Amino acid sequence: MGVLDIVPTGVLTGDNVRKLFNYAREHGFAIPAVNCTSSSTINAALEAARDVKAPLIIQLSQGGSAFYAGKGLSNDGQRASILGAVAAAHHVRTVAKDYGVPVVLHSDHCAKKLLPWFDGMLDADEEYFKVHNEPLFSSHMLDLSEEPKDENIALCKTYLQRMAKMNLLLEMEIGITGGEEDGVDNTGVDNNRLYTQPEDVWDVYRELIQVSDLFTIAAAFGNVHGVYKPGNVKLSPHLLKKHQDYVREKLGTQQEKPIWFVFHGGSGSVKKEIEEAVSYGVIKMNVDTDTQWAYWEGIRNFYEAKKDYLQTQVGNPEGEDKPNKKYYDPRVFIRDAEKSMVNRVKEACRDLGNVNRL
Ligand SMILES: [Zn+2]
């Protein structure tokens, strides 16, 4: 039995997201959430998922959404970020089924100061829900990890109440996913700031479950956003197991892994640590930095290989009057960027065990 025996292709919402995440947790794999900023990057991510026969999460950040709408638009009041996220969502909904893969359509980190963006997307979800009986997106992320814990949880709960009416899933973050300098204390001792405590996870669970079971938790276990020199970060995935055990005990349930965990800041992680995190109930890992590099590398390699054909519109080593159109056409060099990104998304899928799952 594969994923397509329990959910359809195309954008999933509500119960289908629940089924997919439960399936991933039970079968010990996680789904990459690829940050996309354009139709080109969305298509590349979908192509990779199709090729490895796996489900996919496509996510839009606040900045990525504004870029999708166009950097020439004003983003006053988060207007461009709202429009871009909605436009990207419609793009995904239009093409995803033809790629033959199930897709979770998600919005990425939203800090407190960006809440108008979040509200605008929820407005679009509600409008879509009226017509289609499901939200436009599958899920949204609220990142209030910089706020005091009680405020973080209370605001997440309030938003989840609005979202639960549409069967939308909420991703929340507790504990700080850091960006520490060299030479931090990496002895693996629990640290309140960089390592979320089991009590914190339980506090989140206890409050949110009163509203809906459609929520995921990004807990900090030494992870860092962005790039860093290898070896400078001490990940402690075993903490996720501690959280699962703690919540299971509190609940008095037999269920081994009651929580759906999300892995932020996974770029450059050692494969073994990723595998370990997945074994403790991580069902989603964010992928951004590495696919950005892949996209750029595709263009760079194309330029290096075709340099002599890319200096003028006409004239290359084959003759002074030879046209270069087939080299500078964006469909040619952007396609190379896409191919490179496709390969990197496939690699992320392999790292997470997300291959041949359909
Ligand atoms: Zn985060």
Side-chain angles (χ1 to χ4, degrees):
M1 196 183 77
V3 166
L4 288 182
D5 293 312
I6 53 165
V7 299
T9 58
V11 173
L12 307 180
T13 59
D15 197 39
N16 284 330
V17 175
R18 181 184 289 115
K19 285 180 190 166
L20 176 64
F21 286 178
N22 279 339
Y23 184 94
R25 188 172 54 188
E26 277 162 28
H27 290 80
F29 70 96
I31 306 160
V34 183
N35 273 84
C36 295
T37 55
S38 60
S39 55
S40 168
T41 45
I42 287 172
N43 297 344
L46 288 168
E47 184 177 335
R50 182 200 64 192
D51 289 355
V52 298
K53 301 180 175 59
L56 174 73
I57 302 171
I58 287 180
Q59 66 184 15
L60 285 304
S61 70
Q62 179 263 351
S65 297
F67 183 86
Y68 199 100
K71 289 297 278 179
L73 275 187
S74 160
N75 204 13
D76 276 0
Q78 298 298 318
R79 177 79 181 150
S81 287
I82 296 165
L83 291 178
V86 169
H90 282 287
H91 174 81
V92 174
R93 279 192 171 276
T94 305
V95 302
K97 268 191 179 297
D98 281 61
Y99 283 90
V101 296
V103 177
V104 173
L105 183 52
H106 179 71
S107 66
D108 198 7
H109 289 80
C110 179
K112 196 178 176 186
K113 63 174 190 289
L114 302 177
L115 282 176
W117 174 51
F118 204 85
D119 292 327
M121 289 187 291
L122 289 188
D123 290 344
D125 284 313
E126 281 163 352
E127 255 178 61
Y128 196 88
F129 190 86
K130 276 185 216 157
V131 182
H132 303 279
N133 208 32
E134 66 170 346
L136 177 62
F137 287 84
S138 314
S139 55
H140 298 288
M141 197 232 160
L142 209 46
D143 177 16
L144 304 171
S145 59
E146 303 276 338
E147 313 304 325
K149 184 174 88 171
D150 291 348
E151 189 187 340
N152 179 354
I153 297 173
L155 203 48
C156 282
K157 193 175 176 182
T158 302
Y159 269 103
L160 188 57
Q161 278 159 354
R162 182 176 172 191
M163 295 166 76
K165 291 181 184 126
M166 298 178 271
N167 302 314
L168 269 170
L169 180 140
L170 172 72
E171 177 182 330
M172 69 85 67
E173 182 157 347
I174 184 108
I176 300 207
T177 297
E180 294 290 281
E181 305 288 342
D182 298 359
V184 286
D185 178 9
N186 279 338
T187 52
V189 179
D190 284 7
N191 168 314
N192 266 317
R193 234 168 56 78
L194 282 173
Y195 300 95
T196 306
Q197 304 299 300
E199 295 81 7
D200 297 337
V201 174
W202 167 243
D203 286 345
V204 171
Y205 190 93
R206 190 193 56 216
E207 288 303 309
L208 297 189
I209 198 71
Q210 293 167 22
V211 181
S212 165
D213 66 330
L214 284 178
F215 62 88
T216 58
I217 301 175
F221 52 100
N223 25 356
V224 175
H225 281 295
V227 284
Y228 53 85
K229 276 190 288 177
N232 280 354
V233 174
K234 178 83 179 159
L235 277 180
S236 302
H238 69 273
L239 290 176
L240 299 177
K241 186 181 185 318
K242 265 173 75 177
H243 301 333
Q244 298 280 20
D245 291 347
Y246 191 86
V247 171
R248 188 181 63 232
E249 256 172 55
K250 285 281 184 186
L251 289 172
T253 173
Q254 299 293 337
Q255 197 183 4
E256 199 197 339
K257 294 175 275 187
I259 302 161
W260 290 321
F261 277 123
V262 172
F263 190 164
H264 289 188
S267 295
S269 297
V270 182
K271 314 270 181 213
K272 214 184 95 222
E273 292 168 336
I274 294 175
E275 272 171 30
E276 198 185 345
V278 170
S279 76
Y280 300 143
V282 164
I283 47 88
K284 168 182 184 275
M285 188 172 101
N286 291 357
V287 181
D288 189 7
T289 312
D290 292 332
T291 42
Q292 283 179 345
W293 172 254
Y295 197 84
W296 158 245
E297 199 178 33
I299 294 181
R300 189 193 63 177
N301 290 344
F302 176 83
Y303 181 77
E304 292 295 340
K306 308 293 181 197
K307 211 171 186 169
D308 296 340
Y309 298 80
L310 290 164
Q311 303 308 318
T312 50
Q313 279 188 277
V314 178
N316 60 44
E318 290 162 40
E320 264 177 33
D321 56 351
K322 296 285 184 199
N324 292 321
K325 188 168 163 46
K326 64 178 176 184
Y327 300 100
Y328 62 78
D329 184 333
R331 287 171 295 181
V332 177
F333 64 86
I334 294 293
R335 181 60 186 151
D336 270 28
E338 289 174 355
K339 281 188 201 158
S340 178
M341 178 168 164
V342 167
N343 284 334
R344 189 60 188 81
V345 174
K346 286 183 191 171
E347 186 185 332
C349 287
R350 284 192 293 271
D351 290 348
L352 296 170
N354 187 47
V355 291
N356 294 318
R357 293 291 182 181
L358 297 185

